[in-house]
């Protein structure tokens, strides 16, 4: 069967949400064009310097490759964090990541939780477990990754920070925050980023309209060797995100395009809310000085370290 776009090459892939059958080249062009469209909305094409948060997985490799196809690679700086997970953060993957980025002409800078925070992710999880706390590894990891990525963006004077979050990630985040009733966090999502602190570098997600299976196939067709092993902490203790993911995948299988509809309709609601709301600057943590949530003196990251017995401080964490 021939490709529905070029009409000449054999189709190799079906897009369930569009019903189109595409050849390899037209599929790659489709992904790049959709990423470019989102990047233009987010202001990436006008930025002088962009920090790319990369892990070496399929999403971050797809992010770097697609952006480099229409943005001067000299404007891109990639940033990698080694979380410190036994048997998961492998040196061979780090070397492959550096080679891919070198080939694209993108500079890579790296750091680790151990260097910046003083503890590996394994250290944090172990200490919290010893204290009898029910804190997931993802809670530690997500918070500290965001903090270090933002700090790196400030350090290199980036106009924007781009992450490899895909459509699946974005739809899951929307549903999770709805379930939690976290309206203040919800309004910070959407196509147009909101800056609520002078210490924040605006964070954008150029892949937020690209399905995860599409980033997988893009990486495969480009010949990338990426880490396919899931983080061991996911299987050890399934999170709310994992449960929401399964629910959304079930919905998508029954009605292709559902995830895209969730994100696009949310964007409309989010932008309308932002236009009619006055968003105040976030307060700063009294311990680390980084932005924290409204009504908090201590940020979630510092609170986690205090509760886990890894940080002693006069300020008590707020509940």
């Amino acid at each position: 069967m021939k490709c529905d776009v070029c009409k000449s090459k054999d189709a190799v892939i079906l897009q369930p949400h569009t019903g189109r059958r595409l050849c390899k080249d037209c599929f790659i062009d489709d992904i790049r064009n959709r990423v470019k469209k989102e990047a233009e909305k987010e202001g990436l094409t006008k930025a002088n310097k962009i920090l790319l948060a990369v892990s070496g997985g399929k999403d971050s490799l797809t992010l770097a490759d697609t952006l480099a196809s229409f943005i001067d690679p000299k404007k891109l700086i990639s940033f990698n964090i080694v979380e410190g997970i036994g048997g998961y953060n492998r040196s061979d993957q780090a070397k492959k990541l550096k080679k891919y980025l070198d080939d694209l002409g993108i500079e890579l800078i790296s750091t680790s939780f151990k260097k910046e925070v003083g503890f590996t992710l394994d250290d944090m999880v172990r200490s919290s477990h010893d204290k009898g706390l029910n804190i997931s590894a993802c809670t530690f990891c997500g918070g500290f990754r965001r903090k270090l990525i933002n700090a790196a963006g400030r350090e290199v004077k980036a106009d924007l920070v781009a992450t490899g979050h895909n459509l699946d990630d974005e739809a899951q985040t929307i549903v999770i925050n709805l379930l939690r009733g976290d309206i203040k966090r919800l309004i910070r999502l959407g196509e147009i980023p909101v800056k609520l602190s002078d210490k924040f570098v605006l964070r954008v997600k150029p892949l937020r309209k690209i399905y995860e299976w599409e980033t997988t196939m893009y990486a495969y067709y480009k010949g990338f060797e990426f880490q396919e092993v899931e983080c061991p902490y996911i299987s050890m203790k399934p999170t709310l995100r994992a449960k929401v993911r399964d629910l959304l995948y079930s919905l998508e299988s029954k009605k292709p395009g559902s995830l895209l509809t969730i994100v696009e309709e949310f964007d409309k609601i989010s932008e309308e809310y932002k236009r009619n709301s006055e968003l105040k600057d976030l307060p700063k943590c009294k311990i680390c000085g980084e932005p924290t949530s409204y009504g908090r003196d201590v940020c979630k990251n510092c609170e986690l370290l205090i509760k886990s017995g890894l940080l002693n401080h006069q300020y008590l964490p707020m509940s």
Side-chain angles (χ1 to χ4, degrees):
M1 188 172 292
K2 296 300 180 183
C3 172
D4 290 333
V5 175
C6 69
K7 312 293 184 183
S8 59
K9 298 176 183 176
D10 289 338
V12 296
I13 202 161
L14 169 68
Q15 281 183 324
H17 66 286
T18 65
R20 297 190 306 177
R21 291 175 171 82
L22 304 174
C23 67
K24 172 183 171 181
D25 291 338
C26 288
F27 172 74
I28 289 174
D29 287 344
D30 176 69
I31 299 301
R32 287 181 170 180
N33 289 335
R34 286 159 59 197
V35 172
K36 183 178 181 181
K37 182 178 179 181
E38 194 67 21
E40 289 172 343
K41 292 179 183 178
E42 296 173 336
L44 281 162
T45 53
K46 296 180 180 179
N48 292 314
K49 187 176 291 186
I50 303 161
L51 185 79
L52 308 183
V54 297
S55 64
K58 63 188 184 315
D59 295 327
S60 57
L61 291 171
T62 298
L63 173 70
D65 191 78
T66 53
L67 291 184
S69 70
F70 59 86
I71 294 176
D72 184 351
K74 293 179 181 178
K75 294 183 177 182
L76 307 175
I77 300 177
S78 54
F79 179 60
N80 176 243
I81 302 170
V82 176
E83 299 91 349
I85 304 171
Y88 182 68
N89 294 133
R90 292 158 37 198
S91 59
D92 61 326
Q93 289 294 333
K95 291 177 182 177
K96 288 177 182 177
L97 172 62
K98 187 176 189 314
K99 184 181 184 307
Y100 289 138
L101 294 168
D102 284 345
D103 290 344
L104 289 171
I106 300 175
E107 179 186 354
L108 172 65
I109 56 178
S110 300
T111 193
S112 67
F113 278 2
K114 181 68 174 179
K115 178 181 177 181
E116 304 294 341
V117 184
F119 311 98
T120 66
L121 182 59
D122 284 347
D123 291 336
M124 298 179 200
V125 173
R126 190 180 306 110
S127 184
S128 66
H129 178 75
D130 290 344
K131 288 281 186 179
L133 302 175
N134 188 31
I135 302 173
S136 73
C138 295
T139 300
F140 282 109
C141 190
F144 281 105
R145 280 186 61 83
R146 286 189 293 272
K147 182 175 182 177
L148 297 187
I149 289 169
N150 185 66
R154 288 201 310 259
E155 181 67 23
V156 302
K157 296 180 171 54
D159 301 306
L160 296 166
V161 167
T163 68
H165 292 89
N166 57 50
L167 173 61
D168 302 39
D169 299 323
E170 193 76 344
Q172 291 161 21
T173 297
I174 291 169
V175 173
I176 288 169
N177 283 297
L178 283 172
L179 291 174
R180 289 174 173 166
D182 196 340
I183 303 302
K184 290 179 180 178
R185 187 174 295 276
L186 265 173
I187 62 175
R188 289 157 62 181
L189 299 175
E191 276 185 328
I192 310 302
V194 178
K195 187 170 184 175
L196 298 178
S197 170
D198 58 4
K199 300 200 76 172
F200 272 149
V201 180
L202 283 178
R203 190 171 61 150
V204 296
K205 306 171 187 176
L207 305 184
R208 66 191 299 273
K209 299 287 181 65
I210 309 296
Y211 281 91
E212 183 172 8
W213 73 263
E214 291 181 304
T215 66
T216 301
M217 294 309 299
Y218 184 96
Y220 170 74
Y221 286 135
K222 292 293 294 184
F224 297 144
E225 293 182 51
F226 52 88
Q227 181 159 297
E228 299 182 65
V229 179
E230 190 172 57
C231 173
Y233 285 116
I234 296 291
S235 55
M236 286 181 191
K237 183 178 179 180
T239 60
L240 175 59
R241 180 173 291 276
K243 296 172 184 177
V244 168
R245 177 182 63 186
D246 291 343
L247 175 65
L248 291 179
Y249 283 170
S250 175
L251 176 62
E252 182 71 21
S253 68
K254 294 181 176 64
K255 187 177 180 181
S258 294
L259 269 64
L260 192 58
T261 298
I262 289 172
V263 172
E264 290 181 337
E265 291 304 311
F266 172 78
D267 284 350
K268 296 175 185 177
I269 296 171
S270 174
E271 295 315 309
E272 180 65 26
Y273 189 91
K274 289 171 187 174
R275 280 196 295 270
N276 296 290
S277 301
E278 183 179 348
L279 303 176
K280 298 179 180 179
D281 285 353
L282 293 171
K284 294 179 182 178
C285 174
K286 291 184 177 179
I287 296 177
C288 68
E290 293 296 311
T292 184
S293 301
Y294 298 115
R296 295 180 66 103
D297 290 329
V298 176
C299 72
K300 187 67 174 179
N301 291 326
C302 290
E303 178 183 307
L304 288 171
L305 293 181
I306 292 172
K307 285 184 174 180
S308 301
L310 296 172
L311 176 66
N312 294 316
H313 204 277
Q314 62 179 338
Y315 292 106
L316 295 177
M318 298 182 67
S319 59

